[in-house]
Amino acid sequence: MAKSRQHFSSQDSSSSPTSVRSREWEGPSRWAEYLGPEPTSPMTSRTSRNAGPDGQIQSSGGSHKGLNMQWVVQLTEVAEGLMAKMYRLNQILDYPDPVGHTFSEAFWKAGVLPNHPRLCLLLSKKFPEHYSKLQLERVDKVALDALHGNAELHLQSLEPWVQLLLDLMAFREQALRLILDLSSTVITLLPHQNSLILHAFMDLFCSFVRVNLFSEKIPRKMMLQMYNLLHAISRNDRDCDFYHRLVQFIDSYDPPLKGLKEDLNFVSPRIGEVLEAVGPIIFLSTDTRKLRNEGFLSPYHPRYPDILTNSAHPMRAQDLANVTSYREWVLFGYLVCPDELLRVTSIDIALVVLKENLVLTLFRDEYILLHEDYQLFVLPRILESKKMAKSGRTKQKEADLEYSVAKQVEKMISEVHEQALLSCDAIHRERRILLKQEIGRMVLFFTDQPSLLAPNIQMVFSALAFAQCEVLWYFQHVGIASSKSKAVRMVSVEIDPSDPTIGFLLDGMDHLCCLVRKYIAAIRGYALSYLSSSAGRIRFLLNTPGMVALDLDASLKSLFQKIVQHLENIPKPQGENVSAITCDLSEFRKDWLSILMIVTSSRSSINIRHLEKATVSTGKEGLLSEGNAAYNWSRCVDELESQLSKHASLKKLYFYHQHLTAVFRNTMFGPEGRPQHCCAWLGVASSFPECASPIVPEEVTKIGRDAVLYVESLIESIMGGLEGLINILDSEGGFGALETQLLPEQAASYMNYASRMSITSNKSPKGAPGFPLPGHESRPENNASIKMLEAAVQRLTNLCSVLNDMEPICVLNHVFVLREYMRECILGNLRRRLLAVLKTDNDLQRPTVLESLIRRHISIIHLAEQHISMDLTQGIREVLLSEAFSGPVSSLHLFEKPEEQHTGSATEAVCNWYIENIIKDISGAGILFAPIHKCFKSTRPVGGYFADSVTDPRELKAFARIFGGYGVDRLDRMLKEHTAALLNCIDTSLRSNRDVLEAVAGSLHSGDRIEREALIKQIVDIDTVIGFCVQAGLALAFDRLLAEAAGTVLFEGAPLIHSLLAGISKHIPEEIPEKKEVRRLRGVANNVGVVDNHDSQWVRLILEEVGGANDGSWSLLPYFFATFMTSNIWTTTAFNVDTGGFNNNIHCLARCVSAVIAGSEFVRVEREYQQRQSLSNGHVGESVDSEIQNRLSAEASIKSTMQLFVKFSASIILDSWSETNRSHLVAQLIFLDQLCEISPYLPRSSLEPHVPYAILRSIYSQYYTNSPNTPLALLSISPRHSPAVSLSHASPAARQPRGDSTPQYDSGYFKGSSSHGQEHIYDGGSSRSTENRQQNFRRSGPLDYGSSRKVKFVEGSTSGNSGPSPLPRFAVSRSGPISYK
């Protein structure tokens, strides 16, 4: 603390008014903290910090003048640093309101001031009274005691901010002295004569006003009073050294405008002159019609476009570039120098500017309410002048004019607020529209005529400055609430958040800046040529008689000679090497400023008026005009980027980036939005980090982070818009409307209705609602939808093209490449779209519909891909693969990945749905497998569709096309897992009932019926196991259909691979045990349906994988299956002619019995062989023969086991028949016949000894002849609609024995067959129909026993009713839908 007190003490001594005046040149060192190592303002490069020999101007006041100009620029920088510190303090203190004494909870927790609100508020409110007079112990004794304990700590936290108060006081004293000095010594401050010094002077003036107005927003009184109290507590009641001076400073600037008026009263007339001088330019800038008609912002004549010259004066274009500064000068100038409003011309100038503004920006996003302050501080002064003029009316005539003007000003200030609230947004919107049009034309013109860019560069700067001002105004006024003068309520400004002109302005500015940077070499070349030519003109002017007669002193003459030398030494641009020329003209500019400092000083013997009179008589530009023009063009050589930054930088938008994001989202994809504008919205962020002040180091990190978040937020919005465009095209109202198709039945019915309609009728047919009449697309009222599609396509392609061509966005060390974001967005949207369309509102989407939706979406991506320089097709494949392959991604690669990312969510969802709803039927929809139709049916919808709508072969083919081999494998694996669980249940039941089954087997062989029935009743849960077996049969049937669909898709997509698998499958070695490679090849062939014996091979693979059928109890399997004939399930079983199956899927039990017996026998034989091999000595020569023998023995074992099952099943069926119990008989007999049809190892002849063919023939004859649509059935030979039952009968003795070459079950329903040489009829849609016809010589159709009669009975009924029983003697009992007469 001692050190800091000494520091403050020294500051106190050095910052006293006398010290500042006597030690003025110690000023820069006083502000070292605020002046960075490199000058940030272009003006600082014009003068050296320390006056060297070249900087000493040997004339009266010359040296002093030069140093003053340097100090002007530096003090302007100091003002920026002071405001940055105050801004940071405001942030820390959560933006307090010291005037209203309103402080938030965060204010007290910030750690700057002690958290004792009562004490702090009292000290602040009683300012400037000394704390000793306030009796603080009575206010808050506890807080005062706490302060005594922590005084040192609180002092340390307050010290840097009290130092800020000291800096503000010192700045006020030094800046005010400099302003007064310049005002009193500079001869002219008119823009057309002395613009360079004028801008420096007014910049300092405005900075001075800003700093003091901003200081009101920090709790100055509270900080000073609390610091002094803490200082007194720790220093024996002694005030700090600077306390009384700071109290006087703060009190004199409370409110700040009071102190500013008093301090700047002396310079008020000069300010009034300046504001009057810039009035014409301000009037011009507000007259949009004149700007447009006279072409002030057009590179060509507005009325004669062929004349490629600008009709506006070039100096006027340069003045328009400064109009933003001029407006600020007016607002600040009349606010602190209200007397200048009493000038006759000032009323109009102030009115124009006040009418289009509601706020006056101080620093960044801090502002004051403009009209409120004018009414509070300016209006009273005007009223006072009016009163004085009224009282002096009889004394002087001028008082009448003064009174009249004061009255007009009073009226203007009173009314302009209301006008501004109503009209400011409309004024600026009109100006934005003008700039949108002019900049758009400018971009097109300079793109087409780049050679004219350089001569018109000042006009480009003017357009950029105009646009910059309008964009900043828009965001500065978003959300502003202003109080009306006559009412207390706040009125918000009506700013349209969806104004599309903002995007156009940002895009136009971006294009203009790109053009300037692109042709920077041409601009530099033009500027160098201009400077070279101006050297001769200046030399000529220096040698005119008028100049010679002036008799310049040596120092001024040497400076003019230096100027000429600088210009003559400029390198001449030759050919195309302009970009290689390096030219530093800072010394030229410094010398020219030195000349201006001398000739504009009242202390100089030669001033600006002398030079103008001496040179303007030549009829050309005067010397100063030539020099100023050369000065401006020199900045286009080596400071073009800084010029561009000054006029086009939008870095201040950082402080409104939340509004920026909101407006972007409202306008980007609106009706007038343009996709190409997104580049400009994103590019703005690159300049955000430039807002960080070096005085506050932590700002760099915060602003950089916010800039990155802004870019990410905009990219998210852009990608959301891109997704929206794609999804609009992918919707039913988009391309979906062009794909509307009717089913053939709908189309026929609809056309029938349409043909009956009157030609003049415009209504849709009454019987066909929802479908418009043919030709409706051509009607004019439907053009809007087509135009919407065209607009969406155009916008999508434009956006893709723009994003593809956009340069990377660099924000600090972050680089955003929009092309990559676009790729991820499109592919991510495809993935989400795929997952979204999998399910409808009710349930699973039909695979064919899903396939069409995916193809439509992919076609839109391919449309976008034409405008993107990257391969999206590969990405589409990756997405589909990741959603189809359900497993760790590393399994698809040869290398190991550290993390296994599981994918295939889409496949998982579809496969789970099929397992749960079709195989397990958890919804109880009554799923039935229809062998005739090769699909599953349901009694009520499963979700949104009936089961046949999602299991039809066409649907399964679509599933295979969507998810490919990985999807088919996944569904196959899930079916295997489910079937394995069911087989495990069979295994468990076999083990638990082994003893009983052994006894049952003995009784069956012995023929003891009574003992057999008693033993069968001891078997546990027969009906449950039957249900498991039926479900396993459903899984077998589904997998068979899936394999056929996969094979068809493979044949369509890769016919060579399909033919290769089909050919290999015929020559796979028939050996047991199979080698690993052979087993794998057989499994692949089985999965694509080129292996005939699908079911048994499938079960065999399952048992081998899970190690099933490894127990001796499996030898009892045929006996166990035979006991199923005693189940009560047969009493409710009925055959359905329409489906070719039973009403409770018992036909799937036949499929399960056949496959499980065959598969388990293969596994048993293979296991026995392996056991023998392990026990033998391994004779190699016998291995081949033994393998073939094993195969033959396995097939023989399967046949014998199947025949055993049929024998005992028939025995149980016929033994259980009686007059009182015969309802089950028909269903069981048909079941056995179906088993013979399904199993390749069970010829029909094996059923003849047990069930005579005449009975079966009679059963089928009755079923089909009693079908309602028999005549139609007789005309049809399609096995898709009929089991093709032949009524011929032949002796079973004439049958050929079935050997290994017997073709296996293929088509999934009963196949009609003929005599020995007759071709078998298969499904016409099968890809293997011809081959199957050639292979099939089996004469075992359900009832095809001879060649004399070949009439085939097919069912044509759609009612699903069962026919009458063929056994007329069973007339008593009825069971289910089958009636027995």
Side-chain angles (χ1 to χ4, degrees):
M1 280 305 298
K3 180 179 179 182
S4 62
R5 287 199 308 278
Q6 291 172 5
H7 176 63
F8 282 145
S9 178
S10 65
Q11 291 294 340
D12 177 38
S13 62
S14 66
S15 59
S16 64
T18 56
S19 174
V20 171
R21 292 189 184 98
S22 62
R23 301 173 59 193
E24 184 176 349
W25 290 114
E26 293 181 7
S29 61
R30 165 74 174 80
W31 304 109
E33 178 188 0
Y34 296 92
L35 299 173
E38 292 294 331
T40 56
S41 172
M43 187 73 79
T44 57
S45 63
R46 305 165 192 156
T47 58
S48 57
R49 288 263 174 106
N50 301 314
D54 295 336
Q56 300 291 339
I57 311 301
Q58 303 300 324
S59 66
S60 62
S63 171
H64 185 69
K65 192 67 184 173
L67 292 170
N68 268 344
M69 278 310 298
Q70 170 201 358
W71 192 211
V72 167
V73 177
Q74 290 184 341
L75 269 186
T76 307
E77 289 183 43
V78 169
E80 290 288 319
L82 287 170
M83 287 189 285
K85 273 196 172 183
M86 289 190 285
Y87 188 88
R88 178 59 183 157
L89 178 61
N90 252 4
Q91 283 182 326
I92 294 172
L93 297 179
D94 192 33
Y95 304 98
D97 179 17
V99 177
H101 300 287
T102 306
F103 305 98
S104 66
E105 189 69 25
F107 175 89
W108 302 109
K109 294 180 179 180
V112 175
L113 288 153
N115 191 3
H116 303 302
R118 293 179 63 187
L119 276 183
C120 294
L121 286 173
L122 179 69
L123 290 170
S124 178
K125 289 178 180 179
K126 295 297 182 180
F127 181 87
E129 288 191 30
H130 196 270
Y131 71 89
S132 59
K133 300 178 182 180
L134 299 179
Q135 298 181 339
L136 298 178
E137 63 277 356
R138 293 188 179 182
V139 177
D140 196 341
K141 181 70 166 60
V142 177
L144 195 60
D145 293 340
L147 286 179
H148 279 81
N150 298 308
E152 292 290 337
L153 185 63
H154 292 310
L155 273 173
Q156 290 179 11
S157 62
L158 266 174
E159 272 180 315
W161 305 113
V162 174
Q163 175 64 46
L164 176 60
L165 295 179
L166 282 172
D167 291 342
L168 287 171
M169 183 173 64
F171 173 78
R172 175 240 180 171
E173 294 167 353
Q174 296 184 18
L176 185 59
R177 174 169 177 78
L178 195 53
I179 290 171
L180 295 176
D181 191 23
L182 284 171
S183 175
S184 61
T185 57
V186 177
I187 295 174
T188 177
L189 283 172
L190 299 181
H192 62 279
Q193 290 181 340
N194 194 15
S195 63
L196 299 175
I197 294 178
L198 168 65
H199 278 271
F201 170 74
M202 290 304 294
D203 285 347
L204 178 60
F205 171 81
C206 291
S207 296
F208 178 73
V209 177
R210 278 195 173 98
V211 167
N212 287 288
L213 288 176
F214 195 10
S215 66
E216 190 180 23
K217 294 179 177 288
I218 63 173
R220 300 171 295 168
K221 303 173 184 177
M222 188 184 295
M223 289 194 302
L224 177 59
Q225 292 284 70
M226 183 54 66
Y227 185 85
N228 192 52
L229 173 62
L230 293 169
H231 187 277
I233 288 173
S234 61
R235 297 295 179 270
N236 300 322
D237 293 336
R238 183 165 61 86
D239 292 336
C240 53
D241 299 333
F242 47 80
Y243 172 69
H244 295 287
R245 292 180 56 252
L246 275 178
V247 167
Q248 182 183 0
F249 165 63
I250 293 173
D251 190 46
S252 66
Y253 273 76
D254 183 29
L257 281 171
K258 182 187 74 172
L260 286 169
K261 285 179 187 176
E262 295 174 358
D263 288 345
L264 297 171
N265 187 51
F266 181 77
V267 300
S268 180
R270 299 305 300 269
I271 298 298
E273 292 174 8
V274 170
L275 300 186
E276 275 190 325
V278 300
I281 299 299
I282 292 176
F283 292 144
L284 174 62
S285 70
T286 58
D287 191 346
T288 55
R289 179 175 296 178
K290 186 174 183 180
L291 286 174
R292 180 184 288 113
N293 293 343
E294 297 298 326
F296 283 97
L297 295 176
S298 297
Y300 49 86
H301 197 287
R303 290 183 292 275
Y304 310 103
D306 295 336
I307 304 175
L308 298 180
T309 56
N310 180 20
S311 61
H313 194 279
M315 289 302 294
R316 184 59 57 87
Q318 181 179 334
D319 287 337
L320 283 173
N322 299 318
V323 75
T324 305
S325 301
Y326 295 166
R327 289 185 183 128
E328 288 185 352
W329 297 355
V330 169
L331 294 176
F332 281 120
Y334 290 135
L335 183 62
V336 297
C337 303
D339 290 339
E340 300 312 309
L341 274 170
L342 297 174
R343 294 171 180 256
V344 177
T345 57
S346 297
I347 302 175
D348 294 333
I349 298 172
L351 176 63
V352 163
V353 182
L354 285 171
K355 192 164 62 175
E356 61 184 39
N357 289 281
L358 290 170
V359 299
L360 181 53
T361 303
L362 298 178
F363 182 69
R364 297 180 175 175
D365 57 342
E366 293 286 349
Y367 61 88
I368 60 173
L369 293 173
L370 184 62
H371 296 276
E372 284 78 350
D373 281 356
Y374 263 79
Q375 290 175 2
L376 287 174
F377 299 105
V378 177
L379 190 57
R381 177 62 183 159
I382 300 301
L383 293 175
E384 183 182 344
S385 300
K386 175 184 171 185
K387 185 177 180 181
M388 291 176 61
K390 187 175 182 180
S391 62
R393 217 179 243 188
T394 56
K395 297 179 182 178
Q396 50 185 1
K397 294 181 179 180
E398 292 80 3
D400 288 337
L401 178 61
E402 186 179 343
Y403 176 81
S404 175
V405 172
K407 193 173 181 180
Q408 292 178 32
V409 173
E410 177 195 2
K411 182 181 179 183
M412 182 269 292
I413 294 177
S414 302
E415 296 177 354
V416 73
H417 187 197
E418 192 75 27
Q419 296 177 24
L421 284 172
L422 296 175
S423 64
C424 67
D425 184 47
I427 292 171
H428 285 274
R429 186 184 297 113
E430 183 183 4
R431 199 172 297 162
R432 290 196 298 271
I433 292 171
L434 165 73
L435 288 170
K436 165 190 167 183
Q437 296 168 348
E438 296 296 334
I439 291 178
R441 293 193 193 105
M442 202 177 282
V443 168
L444 291 175
F445 181 83
F446 288 133
T447 303
D448 186 55
Q449 301 284 341
S451 60
L452 295 176
L453 178 61
N456 291 290
I457 191 66
Q458 294 297 336
M459 183 194 306
V460 173
F461 288 155
S462 296
L464 290 172
F466 255 94
Q468 178 194 49
C469 174
E470 290 306 314
V471 171
L472 289 175
W473 183 94
Y474 179 87
F475 287 103
Q476 285 166 354
H477 284 74
V478 169
I480 294 296
S482 180
S483 62
K484 287 190 175 181
S485 57
K486 297 180 182 178
V488 182
R489 67 188 183 91
M490 304 298 284
V491 179
S492 60
V493 188
E494 295 294 334
I495 301 293
D496 184 9
S498 58
D499 189 345
T501 57
I502 299 298
F504 281 98
L505 290 186
L506 291 177
D507 183 59
M509 293 176 69
D510 183 58
H511 275 85
L512 275 182
C513 291
C514 289
L515 282 172
V516 172
R517 292 188 176 99
K518 181 178 181 181
Y519 299 107
I520 192 168
I523 297 169
R524 290 181 66 201
Y526 183 88
L528 289 171
S529 300
Y530 181 90
L531 292 174
S532 298
S533 63
S534 68
R537 292 193 296 270
I538 291 176
R539 181 175 290 279
F540 168 78
L541 291 173
L542 287 175
N543 294 326
T544 57
M547 285 297 296
V548 174
L550 279 179
D551 192 18
L552 303 177
D553 60 18
S555 60
L556 194 56
K557 189 176 293 186
S558 67
L559 282 173
F560 275 119
Q561 292 300 324
K562 281 186 179 180
I563 292 295
V564 175
Q565 289 173 10
H566 286 311
L567 295 177
E568 288 179 342
N569 292 334
I570 288 176
K572 302 295 187 293
Q574 295 178 356
E576 298 179 357
N577 64 344
V578 180
S579 57
I581 296 177
T582 57
C583 188
D584 183 9
L585 296 175
S586 58
E587 288 298 318
F588 161 74
R589 287 190 292 273
K590 185 185 75 170
D591 290 338
W592 180 251
L593 276 175
S594 300
I595 293 174
L596 288 180
M597 293 169 202
I598 295 172
V599 300
T600 57
S601 173
S602 61
R603 305 183 184 112
S604 173
S605 59
I606 303 296
N607 60 41
I608 191 170
R609 294 185 180 91
H610 299 145
L611 293 178
E612 283 297 310
K613 287 180 180 179
T615 57
V616 81
S617 60
T618 60
K620 302 179 186 295
E621 290 287 340
L623 181 60
L624 288 178
S625 298
E626 281 287 354
N628 285 336
Y631 183 97
N632 287 326
W633 278 109
S634 73
R635 301 195 65 191
C636 291
V637 175
D638 55 353
E639 288 187 355
L640 191 59
E641 276 296 336
S642 65
Q643 288 281 86
L644 208 55
S645 175
K646 174 187 174 184
H647 297 298
S649 174
L650 294 169
K651 64 182 180 181
K652 291 181 183 177
L653 287 181
Y654 160 72
F655 302 102
Y656 311 97
H657 65 268
Q658 293 178 339
H659 294 311
L660 204 64
T661 305
V663 174
F664 171 80
R665 289 174 177 166
N666 283 327
T667 59
M668 178 65 190
F669 295 99
E672 294 186 50
R674 297 292 185 275
Q676 58 267 30
H677 294 171
C678 63
C679 305
W681 288 91
L682 286 167
V684 169
S686 300
S687 61
F688 284 174
E690 298 172 13
C691 293
S693 172
I695 308 298
V696 188
E698 58 267 27
E699 277 189 349
V700 178
T701 305
K702 181 182 184 304
I703 292 177
R705 183 174 64 249
D706 289 344
V708 170
L709 291 175
Y710 163 80
V711 173
E712 290 176 346
S713 174
L714 252 63
I715 290 176
E716 182 182 350
S717 299
I718 293 170
M719 297 308 145
L722 178 62
E723 286 185 16
L725 288 172
I726 293 175
N727 293 339
I728 286 173
L729 293 175
D730 193 27
S731 65
E732 292 306 315
F735 286 162
L738 307 178
E739 298 174 354
T740 305
Q741 294 182 357
L742 303 181
L743 297 175
E745 302 82 24
Q746 292 174 315
S749 173
Y750 179 65
M751 292 304 294
N752 187 25
Y753 278 108
S755 64
R756 298 175 187 175
M757 294 297 296
S758 171
I759 298 177
T760 58
S761 175
N762 291 325
K763 295 182 180 179
S764 186
K766 185 177 179 181
F771 298 109
L773 283 169
H776 73 284
E777 303 89 350
S778 304
R779 293 182 180 174
E781 59 266 23
N782 296 319
N783 287 344
S785 58
I786 300 300
K787 288 182 179 178
M788 184 274 292
L789 274 181
E790 293 175 349
V793 170
Q794 184 68 29
R795 189 164 287 194
L796 173 66
T797 53
N798 284 350
L799 182 59
C800 290
S801 179
V802 167
L803 295 180
N804 181 67
D805 298 336
M806 187 187 297
E807 293 294 325
I809 306 296
C810 300
V811 181
L812 293 181
N813 57 344
H814 291 73
V815 179
F816 299 91
V817 182
L818 269 295
R819 189 184 300 115
E820 295 299 327
Y821 280 94
M822 181 169 51
R823 181 180 188 276
E824 292 303 318
C825 165
I826 292 175
L827 298 181
N829 187 52
L830 171 62
R831 179 179 283 105
R832 288 187 293 275
R833 179 67 176 165
L834 174 60
L835 295 176
V837 299
L838 280 178
K839 300 290 182 69
T840 61
D841 295 336
N842 297 321
D843 220 329
L844 182 76
Q845 182 65 273
R846 291 175 59 186
T848 49
V849 177
L850 177 60
E851 182 187 16
S852 67
L853 292 176
I854 294 173
R855 288 187 183 277
R856 186 172 75 197
H857 193 93
I858 290 175
S859 69
I860 297 170
I861 295 178
H862 285 154
L863 175 67
E865 187 181 22
Q866 298 173 11
H867 304 271
I868 303 174
S869 56
M870 60 173 57
D871 184 9
L872 290 181
T873 305
Q874 181 64 28
I876 293 171
R877 291 174 183 152
E878 292 173 1
V879 169
L880 294 178
L881 176 61
S882 65
E883 292 304 323
F885 181 72
S886 56
V889 175
S890 59
S891 301
L892 294 175
H893 303 284
L894 298 177
F895 55 88
E896 292 295 329
K897 284 197 171 184
E899 294 182 4
E900 292 187 346
Q901 180 186 2
H902 288 267
T903 56
S905 53
T907 305
E908 288 286 338
V910 176
C911 295
N912 282 327
W913 189 92
Y914 274 115
I915 296 295
E916 298 295 328
N917 292 279
I918 301 300
I919 306 302
K920 295 182 180 179
D921 191 18
I922 58 173
S923 61
I927 300 295
L928 293 174
F929 175 60
I932 289 178
H933 306 292
K934 298 180 70 174
C935 69
F936 291 79
K937 293 182 177 292
S938 58
T939 56
R940 62 183 181 81
V942 184
Y945 303 98
F946 285 92
D948 55 339
S949 297
V950 288
T951 59
D952 183 82
R954 193 165 63 94
E955 302 295 331
L956 294 180
K957 291 174 189 175
F959 170 84
R961 280 192 294 269
I962 296 168
F963 298 107
Y966 290 120
V968 172
D969 286 349
R970 178 57 184 161
L971 185 51
D972 177 75
R973 185 163 62 252
M974 292 179 72
L975 289 168
K976 282 181 179 176
E977 291 170 358
H978 178 62
T979 307
L982 297 174
L983 293 177
N984 185 57
C985 295
I986 297 174
D987 180 71
T988 303
S989 186
L990 281 171
R991 292 171 186 267
S992 61
N993 295 299
R994 180 169 183 170
D995 295 338
V996 178
L997 288 174
E998 288 177 346
V1000 169
S1003 65
L1004 283 170
H1005 284 286
S1006 64
D1008 190 340
R1009 177 180 174 181
I1010 298 175
E1011 179 186 1
R1012 181 190 70 203
E1013 291 178 352
L1015 290 171
I1016 288 175
K1017 290 178 181 179
Q1018 298 178 22
I1019 298 176
V1020 182
D1021 292 334
I1022 285 184
D1023 289 346
T1024 304
V1025 178
I1026 290 176
F1028 290 152
C1029 292
V1030 168
Q1031 210 171 110
L1034 282 171
L1036 284 163
F1038 191 91
D1039 194 77
R1040 177 60 184 267
L1041 295 180
L1042 181 66
E1044 291 180 355
T1048 304
V1049 172
L1050 181 64
F1051 181 77
E1052 294 170 354
L1056 293 178
I1057 296 178
H1058 183 274
S1059 62
L1060 178 66
L1061 286 173
I1064 290 176
S1065 63
K1066 299 176 183 177
H1067 304 285
I1068 294 177
E1070 303 287 349
E1071 55 188 23
I1072 295 182
E1074 288 181 334
K1075 295 182 174 63
K1076 182 179 179 180
E1077 294 78 8
V1078 172
R1079 181 181 299 141
R1080 186 174 180 182
L1081 185 60
R1082 193 184 297 276
V1084 171
N1086 201 35
N1087 283 347
V1088 294
V1090 295
V1091 174
D1092 293 329
N1093 191 11
H1094 170 273
D1095 294 353
S1096 60
Q1097 292 293 337
W1098 199 65
V1099 172
R1100 176 185 177 182
L1101 290 173
I1102 294 174
L1103 293 174
E1104 288 174 347
E1105 287 178 7
V1106 301
N1110 57 359
D1111 187 76
S1113 59
W1114 279 76
S1115 60
L1116 301 171
L1117 192 62
Y1119 307 103
F1120 184 48
F1121 283 157
T1123 61
F1124 290 175
M1125 299 299 112
T1126 64
S1127 171
N1128 292 328
I1129 197 172
W1130 298 101
T1131 59
T1132 58
T1133 301
F1135 181 69
N1136 192 325
V1137 175
D1138 295 339
T1139 64
F1142 294 95
N1143 62 337
N1144 54 3
N1145 280 323
I1146 282 296
H1147 51 287
C1148 293
L1149 176 63
R1151 188 180 294 273
C1152 174
V1153 167
S1154 171
V1156 171
I1157 289 178
S1160 62
E1161 285 300 316
F1162 275 122
V1163 171
R1164 182 186 62 79
V1165 171
E1166 186 172 347
R1167 188 173 292 113
E1168 289 176 357
Y1169 173 81
Q1170 290 173 348
Q1171 290 174 355
R1172 288 197 306 271
Q1173 285 294 102
S1174 62
L1175 296 175
S1176 67
N1177 295 327
H1179 297 288
V1180 180
E1182 300 176 359
S1183 61
V1184 177
D1185 295 338
S1186 62
E1187 290 171 358
I1188 298 174
Q1189 188 63 35
N1190 286 333
R1191 179 74 185 188
L1192 295 175
S1193 63
E1195 292 183 357
S1197 176
I1198 294 169
K1199 290 178 181 179
S1200 63
T1201 305
M1202 293 294 295
Q1203 290 173 357
L1204 194 64
F1205 166 75
V1206 169
K1207 173 183 175 183
F1208 290 132
S1209 295
S1211 174
I1212 292 172
I1213 292 168
L1214 297 176
D1215 286 347
S1216 63
W1217 173 80
S1218 66
E1219 290 293 336
T1220 59
N1221 183 22
R1222 57 177 179 263
S1223 60
H1224 58 84
L1225 181 60
V1226 172
Q1228 288 174 328
L1229 293 179
I1230 295 177
F1231 170 81
L1232 290 180
D1233 182 66
Q1234 287 189 348
L1235 178 64
C1236 294
E1237 174 65 22
I1238 290 171
S1239 175
Y1241 303 102
L1242 191 65
R1244 284 192 181 277
S1245 58
S1246 59
L1247 188 60
E1248 174 65 15
H1250 315 290
V1251 180
Y1253 293 114
I1255 294 177
L1256 292 174
R1257 174 182 175 279
S1258 175
I1259 290 172
Y1260 284 119
S1261 174
Q1262 290 297 321
Y1263 269 116
Y1264 288 100
T1265 55
N1266 284 278
S1267 178
N1269 295 332
T1270 301
L1272 178 64
L1274 290 172
L1275 298 175
S1276 173
I1277 61 170
S1278 172
R1280 180 177 293 276
H1281 303 290
S1282 167
V1285 179
S1286 174
L1287 300 181
S1288 300
H1289 177 74
S1291 172
R1295 290 176 172 270
Q1296 298 292 331
R1298 294 181 62 188
D1300 294 338
S1301 60
T1302 303
Q1304 300 161 354
Y1305 171 70
D1306 177 71
S1307 56
Y1309 49 81
F1310 297 126
K1311 301 187 288 287
S1313 59
S1314 60
S1315 61
H1316 180 66
Q1318 182 180 354
E1319 287 188 348
H1320 193 80
I1321 301 176
Y1322 278 84
D1323 180 6
S1326 171
S1327 62
R1328 300 179 307 278
S1329 58
T1330 306
E1331 176 186 338
N1332 288 336
R1333 288 194 194 100
Q1334 293 172 353
Q1335 288 185 352
N1336 185 43
F1337 54 87
R1338 168 183 173 186
R1339 298 172 298 153
S1340 58
L1343 286 172
D1344 184 8
Y1345 300 116
S1347 58
S1348 58
R1349 299 181 62 187
K1350 298 183 177 62
V1351 181
K1352 302 186 187 301
F1353 284 80
V1354 294
E1355 71 79 31
S1357 171
T1358 57
S1359 64
N1361 295 331
S1362 302
S1365 169
L1367 305 179
R1369 65 181 182 277
F1370 302 150
V1372 178
S1373 174
R1374 293 176 181 270
S1375 175
I1378 302 179
S1379 61
Y1380 301 91
K1381 296 179 182 179

